[in-house]
Coordinates of all heavy atoms in Angstrom, one line a residue:
H357 N 129.9 119.8 114.7 CA 129.9 119.9 113.3 C 130.7 118.8 112.7 O 131.8 119.1 112.3 CB 130.3 121.3 112.9 CG 129.5 122.4 113.5 ND1 128.2 122.6 113.1 CD2 129.7 123.2 114.5 CE1 127.8 123.5 113.9 NE2 128.7 124.0 114.8
P358 N 130.1 117.6 112.5 CA 130.9 116.4 112.0 C 131.2 116.7 110.4 O 130.5 117.6 109.8 CB 130.0 115.3 112.1 CG 128.7 115.8 112.3 CD 128.7 117.2 112.9
E359 N 132.2 116.0 110.0 CA 132.5 116.1 108.6 C 131.2 115.5 107.8 O 130.7 114.5 108.0 CB 133.7 115.1 108.4 CG 134.2 115.0 106.9 CD 134.5 116.4 106.4 OE1 135.5 117.1 106.9 OE2 133.9 116.9 105.4
T360 N 130.8 116.3 106.8 CA 129.8 115.8 105.9 C 130.2 115.4 104.6 O 129.5 114.7 103.8 CB 128.7 116.9 105.7 OG1 129.4 118.1 105.1 CG2 128.0 117.3 106.9
R361 N 131.5 115.6 104.3 CA 132.1 115.2 103.0 C 133.4 114.5 103.2 O 134.3 114.9 102.6 CB 132.2 116.3 102.0 CG 131.0 117.2 101.7 CD 130.8 117.4 100.4 NE 129.4 117.7 100.0 CZ 129.1 118.5 99.1 NH1 129.9 119.3 98.5 NH2 127.9 118.9 98.9
A362 N 133.3 113.4 103.9 CA 134.6 112.8 104.3 C 135.3 112.1 103.0 O 134.7 111.6 102.2 CB 134.3 111.6 105.2
R363 N 136.6 112.4 103.0 CA 137.4 111.8 101.9 C 137.8 110.4 102.6 O 138.3 110.3 103.6 CB 138.5 112.6 101.5 CG 138.0 113.8 100.8 CD 139.2 114.6 100.2 NE 140.3 113.8 99.7 CZ 141.5 113.8 100.1 NH1 141.8 114.8 101.0 NH2 142.5 113.2 99.6
L364 N 137.7 109.5 101.7 CA 137.9 108.1 102.2 C 139.4 108.0 102.8 O 139.6 107.4 103.8 CB 137.6 107.0 101.1 CG 138.0 105.6 101.4 CD1 137.0 105.1 102.5 CD2 137.8 104.7 100.2
E365 N 140.3 108.4 102.1 CA 141.7 108.3 102.5 C 141.9 108.9 103.8 O 142.6 108.3 104.7 CB 142.7 108.8 101.4 CG 142.5 108.4 100.0 CD 141.3 109.1 99.3 OE1 141.1 110.2 99.4 OE2 140.5 108.2 98.8
E366 N 141.3 110.1 104.1 CA 141.5 110.7 105.3 C 141.0 109.9 106.4 O 141.5 109.9 107.4 CB 140.7 112.1 105.2 CG 141.7 113.2 105.0 CD 140.8 114.7 105.2 OE1 140.0 114.8 104.2 OE2 141.0 115.3 106.1
V367 N 139.8 109.4 106.2 CA 139.1 108.6 107.2 C 140.0 107.3 107.5 O 140.3 107.0 108.7 CB 137.7 107.9 106.8 CG1 137.1 107.1 107.8 CG2 136.8 109.2 106.6
L368 N 140.4 106.7 106.6 CA 141.2 105.4 106.7 C 142.5 105.8 107.4 O 143.0 105.1 108.3 CB 141.5 104.7 105.3 CG 140.3 104.2 104.6 CD1 140.8 103.6 103.3 CD2 139.5 103.3 105.4
A369 N 143.1 106.9 107.1 CA 144.3 107.3 107.8 C 144.2 107.5 109.3 O 145.2 107.5 110.1 CB 144.8 108.5 107.1
T370 N 142.9 107.8 109.7 CA 142.7 108.0 111.2 C 142.7 106.8 112.0 O 142.6 106.8 113.2 CB 141.4 108.8 111.5 OG1 140.3 107.9 111.2 CG2 141.3 110.0 110.7

Side-chain angles (χ1 to χ4, degrees):
H357 301 287
E359 182 58 61
T360 53
R361 302 224 160 146
R363 285 184 45 234
L364 180 63
E365 308 72 52
E366 254 187 295
V367 174
L368 296 182
T370 67

